[in-house]
Amino acid sequence: MAGAHTHGPTPQAGPAETVDTQVIVVGAGPAGLLLAGELALRGIQVTLLERRHGPDTASRASTLHARTMEVLDSRGLLADLGSPPCEVRGHFGGIPLDLTLPTPYPGQWKVAQTRTESVLEEWALGLGADLRCGHTLHTVDDRGSHVEAAATGRRGGRLTLRAAYLVACDGQDSTVRRLMGAAFPGTPAARELLRADVDGIDIPTRRFERLPGGFAVAARNPAGITRVMVHEFGAEVRQHAGNPHFEEIAAAWKRVTGEDITGGTPLWVNHFDDENRLLARYRHGRILFAGDAAHRQMPIGGQALNLALQDAHNLGFKLAAAVDGTAPAGLLDSYDSERRAVGAAVLANIRAQALLLLGGPEVEPLRTVLAELIAYDDVRTRLAAMISGLDIRYDVGGPEHPLGGARLPHLGLRVADIVCTTADLLRSGRGLLLGLGGPPPPLHAHLADRIDSVTAHPVHASPLAGTPAVLVRPDGHVVWTGGGDGEGLARAVARWFGSP
Ligand SMILES: Cc1cc2nc3c(=O)[nH]c(=O)nc-3n(C[C@H](O)[C@H](O)[C@H](O)COP(=O)(O)OP(=O)(O)OC[C@H]3O[C@@H](n4cnc5c(N)ncnc54)[C@H](O)[C@@H]3O)c2cc1C
C-alpha cells in the first residue's frame, strides 16, 4: 500500500545511526537468511535486522524435504550440511507414506533448524549481506518512492533505515504484519499438541499412536531424553496463553496412555496448535512478506520450514530484478500469485492432516479408506510429491508441456568435457537457456548478464528426451520448452527476464 504510514512506539533515546540500503529484511530466521543470500548473490545491498543477540539455539524444525534439498544444491550449500540422516518413510496425517520420488534427495532429511540457519547465515554474510543482530524493528513506513524503517538496538541505540523495499521475514507473530494491519484471514486454533523433553523417565517408544482417548508420541534420544507429545481427542485449546505447565502435560499423558511421567524432569515444554491463516496479499506496495510472517500453520510433516525457505527462493531473483531495474512488468507481483497459491495448497493439506491425526474416533473410517488408497502408486506419488514440494507448477504461460512451470528435473550432464548436474548450472543465480544435444537458440548479447546459454549432453536417459532446449528461471522453474518457436522464446525471455 504505497503511501501508507504505519508507526510503532516512540523509540528510546540513545545513539543514532542512519543506513541507506537497497533492501531491508526483517528477521534472520531461515526465510530471511535465504532471501538475504539470494539478494547478495545478485549484488544487491541488503540489511538484515534481527532482534536476537545471537543464534537461536531452541529446538524447532528438523526436516528438509526433497525440493528444499534441490534448492540448497542449486546454491552449492549441501556439502555444508554434512551427511544428515534421511528417512524415506514419511506419513500423511500419521498414515505411513513412502516418499520415494524421481529426485536425488527423496525423503525427509534430518537437519536441526539451528544447523540450517548457521549454514545460510555463513553463506549470506560471505556474499556481503549486512546482519544487525540485537535490533528490533518497531516502525515501518512505505513512502511510495522508498521505505523507511526504524529499529531499537543495543543500549537503546536508534537505527533508521531507508531502502527501495522491505521484506518481513519476522515469523509467525510478525511485527510488520501487525504494524501494517495486513488482513490475515483463516481459522482459529481448535486443537493443540502439548510437547515436553523429559529426563529420567523410561516409557515405551510410541510412533504416531492413536489410542482410545487421544494421540501420543514418545521418542527417546541417544542422550536418554524422551520427547513426549500428546493430544486428547475433543479437548479444548487451553485458555491461558504461553507454554503449558509440565503438570498439565503429565496429566494429559496419564489420561491418554495410562503412564505416569510425573517423576521425570522437564527440560523443555512447548505446545503448538492448528491455527491456520494466510495473508490476503504477500505484497503491499514496497513491503513484502515471506515465511511464517505470511502464513500460519501447524508444523505437521515438517512442511512449515520448507514452505518458508521456498518463499524466499521464489522472491529473491524477482526482488533483485525490481531493485536493479531489469524486472519486466508483473515480475514482482508474480511472487504474490505464485507463492500464495502454494501457501494455500500446503495449508489445505496440513488442515487435512491435522484432522486425520487429531480427530477422534469419527475419523477412523476416513483413515481406513485413505490407507487403502495410498497403496495405489498414483495416489502415493501424488501425496509424496505434495509433501516433498516437487509437485509445484507455476502458471508461466506458453503452450502446454509437461515441464512448463515445473522445476527442471535433476539431470547428469556433460558440458564440453565436464560432467555436472542441472543444479550446478543454476549456481550463478542467473537464468539458464539450456540446449540439449546441440546449442540453444541465440540470445541478444545484452542478456548475457541475466541468462547463461549452455550446450549440454545428458549423461543418462533423460526425462527431457525430445526437448531440444529449455529456458529456466533462476529459481529452477522451466518457462519455455522447445525448438523452432523463436517467438515463444522471445516472449518467455521478455516476460521473465525483461528487455535487453
Ligand atoms: C517451538 C517451535 C517448534 C517448531 N517445530 C517445527 C517442526 O517440528 N517442523 C517444522 O517444519 N516447523 C517447526 N516449527 C516452525 C519453524 O520453526 C518455522 O516454520 C520457521 O522457523 C519459519 O521460518 P521464518 O524464517 O519464516 O521465521 P522464524 O524462524 O520465526 O524467524 C523470524 C525471525 O524474525 C525475528 N524477529 C521477529 N520480530 C522481529 C522484529 N520486530 N525485529 C527484528 N527481528 C524480529 C525473530 O527473532 C526470528 O529470528 C517450529 C517452531 C517453533 C517456534
Side-chain angles (χ1 to χ4, degrees):
M1 183 173 30
H5 289 213
T6 43
H7 292 284
T10 309
Q12 304 159 25
E17 184 190 349
T18 300
V19 169
D20 279 301
T21 185
Q22 289 179 304
V23 177
I24 303 161
V25 174
V26 188
L33 290 167
L34 182 64
L35 178 63
E38 288 288 312
L39 292 167
L41 178 66
R42 296 172 173 87
I44 303 297
Q45 278 175 13
V46 52
T47 301
L48 263 163
L49 295 177
E50 172 52 58
R51 73 177 165 203
R52 279 184 280 103
H53 289 265
D56 192 341
T57 53
S59 153
R60 287 157 295 148
S62 58
T63 300
L64 298 181
H65 284 293
R67 180 60 191 144
T68 303
M69 293 293 282
E70 291 183 353
V71 164
L72 296 177
D73 188 8
S74 73
R75 294 294 174 259
L77 295 172
L78 280 191
D80 297 343
L81 290 180
S83 311
C86 177
E87 174 65 85
V88 288
R89 216 167 34 126
H91 72 93
F92 189 87
I95 299 169
L97 175 68
D98 179 344
L99 295 172
T100 304
L101 288 169
T103 161
Y105 312 111
Q108 311 190 81
W109 297 79
K110 292 295 164 195
V111 183
Q113 185 167 335
T114 47
R115 178 85 191 130
T116 305
E117 287 174 354
S118 77
V119 167
L120 292 173
E121 181 178 314
E122 197 180 321
W123 175 65
L125 297 189
L127 289 165
D130 172 25
L131 171 60
R132 306 284 181 119
C133 282
H135 283 86
T136 303
L137 172 117
H138 54 73
T139 305
V140 55
D141 185 353
D142 183 341
R143 297 282 179 104
S145 59
H146 67 283
V147 182
E148 288 191 9
T152 306
R154 296 186 174 98
R155 292 179 292 283
R158 284 169 297 143
L159 183 64
T160 305
L161 302 105
R162 272 189 296 262
Y165 292 92
L166 178 144
V167 187
C169 297
D170 51 349
Q172 68 174 21
D173 299 319
S174 170
T175 306
V176 180
R177 199 178 62 220
R178 178 174 51 77
L179 291 172
M180 300 285 296
F184 198 39
T187 50
R191 299 179 177 83
E192 71 180 342
L193 269 163
L194 310 181
R195 299 202 268 202
D197 283 351
V198 192
D199 195 8
I201 55 170
D202 187 9
I203 55 173
T205 297
R206 296 178 187 274
R207 196 176 191 275
F208 291 101
E209 273 187 24
R210 284 173 53 84
L211 299 159
F215 168 79
V217 176
R220 196 177 160 94
N221 73 15
I225 312 296
T226 304
R227 174 163 293 184
V228 294
M229 198 150 66
V230 63
H231 167 76
E232 285 183 271
F233 296 145
E236 307 253 305
V237 173
R238 289 166 311 115
Q239 290 308 310
H240 70 81
N243 279 327
H245 303 296
F246 178 58
E247 293 70 30
E248 290 174 275
I249 302 177
W253 188 262
K254 172 89 178 167
R255 286 192 292 273
V256 171
T257 67
E259 292 162 7
D260 182 3
I261 57 170
T262 52
T265 307
L267 303 178
W268 177 74
V269 289
N270 172 250
H271 70 113
F272 56 91
D273 60 45
D274 63 352
E275 185 172 348
N276 199 279
R277 296 186 184 279
L278 187 70
L279 269 184
R281 284 183 290 142
Y282 281 19
R283 180 178 181 194
H284 293 239
R286 292 183 173 273
I287 296 172
L288 298 108
F289 292 82
D292 278 7
H295 35 74
R296 182 174 175 130
Q297 62 284 308
M298 201 171 211
I300 287 187
Q303 291 178 95
L305 170 75
N306 291 270
L307 190 58
L309 288 171
Q310 291 170 40
D311 284 347
H313 189 57
N314 182 289
L315 177 57
F317 77 97
K318 297 174 180 175
L319 188 54
V323 172
D324 73 18
T326 58
L331 182 71
L332 192 53
D333 284 331
S334 75
Y335 166 67
D336 172 90
S337 52
E338 292 184 350
R339 292 308 297 175
R340 216 155 34 77
V342 171
V346 173
L347 263 57
N349 96 47
I350 287 178
R351 274 205 310 275
Q353 292 198 67
L355 279 177
L356 287 167
L357 204 58
L358 307 180
E362 70 280 6
V363 300
E364 282 306 327
L366 196 54
R367 293 178 61 86
T368 306
V369 172
L370 190 60
E372 273 177 29
L373 289 177
I374 285 179
Y376 291 92
D377 205 49
D378 280 359
V379 177
R380 180 197 72 74
T381 49
R382 177 78 196 86
L383 290 177
M386 188 190 277
I387 303 294
S388 306
L390 295 175
D391 66 335
I392 295 167
R393 272 187 82 170
Y394 299 127
D395 177 7
V396 295
E400 265 302 302
H401 186 283
L403 282 180
R407 106 275 189 224
L408 179 67
H410 189 97
L411 293 181
L413 299 170
R414 192 169 47 74
V415 177
D417 290 334
I418 297 169
V419 173
C420 61
T421 67
T422 37
D424 295 330
L425 297 182
L426 290 167
R427 289 205 180 153
S428 66
R430 291 187 284 273
L432 174 66
L433 181 59
L434 184 63
L436 291 150
L443 278 180
H444 194 292
H446 287 164
L447 287 166
D449 59 343
R450 288 174 234 171
I451 305 173
D452 295 329
S453 288
V454 176
T455 302
H457 301 269
V459 180
H460 305 290
S462 146
L464 295 180
T467 306
V470 285
L471 178 65
V472 186
R473 299 193 317 201
D475 64 346
H477 283 263
V478 176
V479 291
W480 172 83
T481 51
D485 179 10
E487 280 292 301
L489 175 60
R491 267 197 305 274
V493 167
R495 174 165 174 187
W496 298 106
F497 296 93
S499 31

